[in-house]
Amino acid sequence: MSFLKNMLLPFVFVIFLSVVLFVIDAQDEKQIRLTNDNLASSLQEVVKEQRNTLTRFIDTNNKHLQFLADMPPVLGIHRAIENNGVDPDSGNDVNIFKSHLGKIFTSLINNYSNVFQVRMIDAHSGDELVRVDKYNNKIIEVKGAKLQNKRETD
C-alpha cells in the first residue's frame, strides 16, 4: 500500500501541474487575443484619424490651388503667353501679371506659417514663371535667371 501511496502522490502532482499549466496557457492565449484586439482597434483609430487629417490637408490645399488658379494674374499670364507676351484682353505685358502674382504669393507666404514656397510653373516648358520663397523668415521673390526649369523633376 505504501508503494501505491508513493506512486499516487507524484501522479496527482503531475495531473495538478498539468491542469495548472493548461489554465495558465489558456489565460495567456486569452490575454494575447485581448491585447491583439485592443492593439488592432487602437491602430484602426489612428489610421482613421490620419486619413481624416490627410483628407482635410488635401481638401484645403485643393481649395487654395483652385483659388490661385482663378486669380486674374494667373489667367492673364496664360493669355499673354499664348499671345506673344501680351494679354489680348487687357493689353498688359506678361511681366505686369507676373509682378502682381508675385505680390499675391508674398502675401500668401506671409499669412501661412506652414508655406515656404509658392510658384507658378509653365505646364508645357517646365519653366518657373513666378516663385516666392521663405527662408529664415525672410520672404524673397525670385526673378530672372534664378528661376528654374522643373521639367525633369517631380
Side-chain angles (χ1 to χ4, degrees):
M1 177 104 173
S2 135
F3 175 75
L4 188 59
K5 197 175 182 183
N6 286 339
M7 289 301 287
L8 188 60
L9 185 61
F11 180 72
V12 169
F13 180 73
V14 167
I15 296 288
F16 176 75
L17 188 59
S18 296
V19 169
V20 167
L21 290 174
F22 176 77
V23 169
I24 289 172
D25 186 53
Q27 283 299 99
D28 282 351
E29 287 183 26
K30 182 179 177 183
Q31 187 62 40
I32 289 169
R33 273 194 311 277
L34 184 61
T35 301
N36 284 342
D37 290 347
N38 288 340
L39 182 59
S41 177
S42 295
L43 288 174
Q44 286 174 346
E45 196 61 35
V46 168
V47 167
K48 182 179 176 183
E49 288 175 29
Q50 291 296 316
R51 183 182 328 118
N52 290 340
T53 299
L54 182 58
T55 299
R56 281 191 309 275
F57 176 80
I58 291 170
D59 288 346
T60 298
N61 284 303
N62 190 37
K63 288 176 184 176
H64 289 152
L65 182 60
Q66 193 59 50
F67 171 78
L68 290 171
D70 290 340
M71 296 296 284
V74 172
L75 301 172
I77 289 170
H78 176 71
R79 287 190 306 265
I81 288 173
E82 295 293 316
N83 291 282
N84 297 318
V86 178
D87 175 23
D89 290 359
S90 67
N92 289 333
D93 183 79
V94 70
N95 291 319
I96 292 173
F97 291 113
K98 288 179 180 182
S99 175
H100 290 314
L101 190 58
K103 289 175 185 163
I104 291 168
F105 285 178
T106 297
S107 177
L108 184 114
I109 284 181
N110 194 42
N111 287 289
Y112 288 90
S113 61
N114 62 335
V115 176
F116 297 96
Q117 184 179 73
V118 184
R119 58 184 164 193
M120 179 179 182
I121 299 173
D122 184 297
H124 300 293
S125 69
D127 291 333
E128 289 180 326
L129 303 173
V130 180
R131 184 174 96 214
V132 176
D133 295 332
K134 180 175 15 179
Y135 184 73
N136 290 333
N137 289 325
K138 186 176 179 185
I139 299 172
I140 301 165
E141 184 175 349
V142 179
K143 296 184 178 193
K146 291 185 179 182
L147 293 172
Q148 303 171 356
N149 182 284
K150 296 296 184 179
R151 178 183 290 175
E152 300 298 324
T153 60
D154 291 335

